[in-house]
Amino acid sequence: MLRLYSIPVSLYSAKLRIALRHKGLAFEEIPPPGGYGSDEYKQTVPSGNIPAMVDGDLMLADSEAIAEYLEERHPAPSMLPGDAADRARLRERSRFHDTRLEPELRALFPHMPPRECPEAVAKRQGERLNARLAQLAMMLGPEAGTTLTLGDTGLPITFAWMDAFDGPLPLGLQWPEAVTAYRVRLAAHPAVRDELAAYAPAVADYVGR
């Protein structure tokens, strides 16, 4: 059985679990020894990243690297379908999430209540998130999300966080029609639906603390 080092609130652990659920792979989650970021954990996972996976003698960190490894080891059902160009576009979407959209969300975590968030910070990040959503809408074809791919697994988790933050913080998020339709298609996949349901308490606990 695969073992995952994870913590309940980790967005990237949830991203990886969607792929695991979709592929029907059994896994066990364990907390990082010594706690996330500890020197003890870095003796096992040098980068200190969450999630990390142990598969036999292999230890691998970074959700993207793990997902690509699992796709090669367990190719059915395929999460990188199509020809080389199609697969490149799926990887582009995944990188867009990891390097463009999610970092704009992450910038808000230190400002969530009960800590103070200056209005200027909320307005700035709301505008940046809206700009990223507009970019994403332009990247999505009409069939995006119909088949669940590695390009999709991070986005429903980040969308859930954006929903949770837009209320406690005055972000003024604007969801393009193409992104809203994409979210509906993603939510129809059992792996996405089940992960969002299982992950919701961690989001609610963080936002409500």
Side-chain angles (χ1 to χ4, degrees), residues 59-70:
M59 194 289 297
L60 189 63
D62 187 274
S63 62
E64 197 87 350
I66 297 168
E68 292 266 1
Y69 165 79
L70 293 173

Side-chain angles (χ1 to χ4, degrees), residues 37-125:
S38 68
D39 289 339
E40 182 180 352
Y41 180 51
K42 290 176 183 176
Q43 294 301 310
T44 302
V45 180
S47 68
N49 281 0
I50 291 288
M53 180 197 71
V54 178
D55 184 14
D57 294 332
L58 173 68
M59 194 289 297
L60 189 63
D62 187 274
S63 62
E64 197 87 350
I66 297 168
E68 292 266 1
Y69 165 79
L70 293 173
E71 177 68 10
E72 292 189 24
R73 287 275 291 165
H74 306 277
S78 174
M79 298 187 74
L80 282 175
D83 60 18
D86 290 334
R87 292 191 294 273
R89 281 190 284 269
L90 296 177
R91 290 185 171 101
E92 177 190 35
R93 189 152 77 225
S94 184
R95 304 296 193 274
F96 178 84
H97 168 266
D98 289 0
T99 67
R100 298 293 187 271
L101 179 62
E102 192 276 344
E104 302 294 5
L105 170 75
R106 187 169 295 270
L108 290 167
F109 275 73
H111 300 288
M112 281 301 296
R115 290 160 289 186
E116 182 178 353
C117 181
E119 184 177 350
V121 171
K123 181 179 179 181
R124 180 195 69 203
Q125 290 309 120

Side-chain angles (χ1 to χ4, degrees), residues 153-172:
T153 53
L155 286 155
I157 304 302
T158 290
F159 293 158
W161 279 109
M162 291 168 66
D163 285 342
F165 280 17
D166 193 23
L169 301 178
L171 300 179

